[in-house]
Amino acid sequence: MKFEDFWYVVAQSEQLKPNKVLSRTVLGEWLAVFRDENGEAVALRDRCMHRNSRLSSGQVCQGQVHCPYHGWVYDNNGTVVAVPAEGDDFKQLQARRVKHYETCEQDGYVYVRLTDQPSEEFEPFPMPHYQEPGWATVRVINRFRNNVTNCAENFIDIPHTASVHPGVFRTPRRQKLEMTVERQKGAVRAEYRNETTNLGWYAKFLNPKGGKIRHTDYFFMPNVTSVEYDMGPYRQLWITSQSVPETEDSTLVYTDVTYNYGIWNQLARPFIHWTAQHIIGQDVAALDLQQEVIKKYGQKFANTPADTIHTFVESIRDRIAAGEDPRLLPDQSVQVTFWV
Ligand code: FES
Ligand SMILES: [Fe+2]
């Protein structure tokens, strides 16, 4: 198994308009992404085979991309279908073709897979409750100057919330929390107990009666995290992030906040959008600092029991990096007590 076997988000479906070409980077590979005449997403290596300009700087006409330099035209297979300088002498040749990648669309996202020979056929991650009746979704996109592992860990890290998001999300008050962390089949699941209303001003809306909160965090290989808050009927919230590896220290994160607030669904939208962006902005800054230090001194962590969730995530991602299947790691379940 390798990271290239999986599907990665390259755009929201609505971002990829007809006659538009987007420039994307996934696992270091440069992509030009556009729609063909039938509206199907196309991903080509972002390199014109003529004299190596970037196709993503060109234009799309009738589902074909025109190189911005000398106007070579590529179809949805990456085959050159016109060369202006050859005029009527032009002939389509098998060898005149740029690399082309598989695409698919699901839950309002366009996905690309880099390998055409995956170790097995994975599906894109199904976004929880997306477009289900009664549920609404707010989507935000953010670039982190850090790697996927550190991003994913941040999104399911409770101990940072009091210091990075004071007031908004959680106030420090030395609350004792207990969690069960499990690693199973390439996934990590952390279930928190004793969590009450320590959610800052967000709680006033989310949990006005101060009832019991069920809070579960998930990681799914290779790059998805999900945070689930259940505070009773019409107070359910999922925050799901797909961390797309651009390069070693750049990750583009697509986050869905999907919630079921009953009659508040539409009214809550701007508030949720603002809050999500505000919180993620604080995490971008925190992960910037972390990456700066890692670049200077290397990555070496000193873990506490509260970091068990991270060591599990790392064990899974390390396996894939080594070309192995993390689902073969032994199942583990650990009880952890910590304070926040
Ligand atoms: S470099 Fe693309 S057409 Fe010449
Ligand atoms: Fe955070």
Side-chain angles (χ1 to χ4, degrees):
M1 187 182 297
K2 48 197 187 313
F3 288 119
E4 286 80 358
D5 292 346
F6 294 90
W7 294 94
Y8 294 100
V9 176
V10 288
Q12 293 185 39
S13 295
E14 61 181 35
Q15 284 181 298
L16 193 58
K17 305 230 160 41
N19 297 329
K20 187 170 168 182
V21 54
L22 301 174
S23 154
R24 291 290 184 267
T25 303
V26 177
L27 288 167
E29 178 67 6
W30 286 3
L31 305 169
V33 186
F34 59 98
R35 291 194 187 277
D36 69 12
E37 246 189 331
N38 303 319
E40 303 278 337
V42 178
L44 304 179
R45 175 172 285 173
D46 194 8
R47 174 183 190 262
C48 176
M49 66 181 301
H50 177 223
R51 302 188 73 79
N52 302 162
S53 184
R54 282 187 85 146
L55 300 179
S56 64
S57 294
Q59 291 198 342
V60 178
C61 272
Q62 284 150 3
Q64 300 179 326
V65 67
H66 294 238
C67 176
Y69 201 3
H70 313 91
W72 285 32
V73 182
Y74 296 81
D75 72 2
N76 57 2
N77 269 314
T79 307
V80 179
V81 291
V83 172
E86 291 182 349
D88 293 341
D89 292 342
F90 171 77
K91 273 191 213 70
Q92 204 166 302
L93 301 169
Q94 262 309 312
R96 270 190 181 168
R97 199 161 172 255
V98 293
K99 204 159 169 37
H100 154 271
Y101 296 99
E102 300 269 333
T103 63
C104 69
E105 247 169 301
Q106 183 179 300
D107 297 338
Y109 282 125
V110 179
Y111 290 85
V112 167
R113 186 180 64 191
L114 292 184
T115 182
D116 46 11
Q117 287 172 322
S119 58
E120 70 182 77
E121 285 290 336
F122 294 107
E123 298 291 325
F125 184 79
M127 298 305 278
H129 303 294
Y130 183 72
Q131 286 193 335
E132 279 177 23
W135 292 79
T137 296
V138 167
R139 250 171 203 182
V140 290
I141 306 175
N142 287 273
R143 180 169 284 115
F144 285 74
R145 277 187 279 168
N146 211 316
N147 59 43
V148 169
T149 308
N150 289 333
C151 288
E153 292 183 4
N154 169 266
F155 305 152
I156 48 175
D157 176 86
I158 298 238
H160 84 277
T161 52
S163 25
V164 175
H165 315 294
V168 184
F169 195 24
R170 194 185 291 275
T171 37
R173 60 173 199 190
R174 295 190 120 264
Q175 184 194 8
K176 185 173 167 186
L177 284 185
E178 273 168 39
M179 66 168 157
T180 307
V181 194
E182 291 173 325
R183 180 183 67 198
Q184 212 178 47
K185 299 195 180 73
V188 182
R189 180 172 181 276
E191 202 179 314
Y192 300 90
R193 284 183 295 277
N194 320 341
E195 196 161 9
T196 48
T197 51
N198 190 14
L199 288 167
W201 54 256
Y202 210 41
K204 303 227 169 17
F205 175 75
L206 276 176
N207 192 15
K209 297 204 188 94
K212 226 179 162 47
I213 299 175
R214 206 166 63 78
H215 171 188
T216 315
D217 287 347
Y218 305 86
F219 168 82
F220 301 98
M221 68 171 189
N223 67 329
V224 179
T225 55
S226 202
V227 175
E228 178 194 6
Y229 281 109
D230 185 347
M231 301 169 205
Y234 302 117
R235 284 294 186 275
Q236 292 162 299
L237 174 76
W238 289 75
I239 306 164
T240 306
S241 298
Q242 302 215 29
S243 296
V244 178
E246 294 189 306
T247 60
E248 267 310 302
D249 57 6
S250 182
T251 302
L252 199 56
V253 179
Y254 295 80
T255 305
D256 277 20
V257 183
T258 296
Y259 55 96
N260 167 9
Y261 293 168
I263 53 163
W264 297 101
N265 269 9
Q266 287 315 313
L267 275 174
R269 185 176 283 278
F271 168 77
I272 288 181
H273 189 277
W274 185 88
T275 308
Q277 197 46 63
H278 182 73
I279 291 174
I280 295 171
Q282 293 173 326
D283 286 324
V284 167
L287 265 76
D288 244 38
L289 286 180
Q290 183 191 37
Q291 186 60 22
E292 253 176 55
V293 175
I294 290 171
K295 275 209 173 126
K296 173 137 180 86
Y297 289 114
Q299 180 170 306
K300 193 158 181 284
F301 296 151
N303 292 317
T304 71
D307 298 304
T308 307
I309 190 166
H310 305 324
T311 56
F312 283 175
V313 169
E314 282 157 32
S315 68
I316 290 171
R317 292 196 38 93
D318 286 351
R319 277 296 159 111
I320 304 174
E324 291 161 25
D325 186 342
R327 293 169 298 186
L328 302 175
L329 284 165
D331 291 355
Q332 279 208 45
S333 178
V334 183
Q335 307 290 327
V336 178
T337 304
F338 67 106
W339 287 260
V340 65

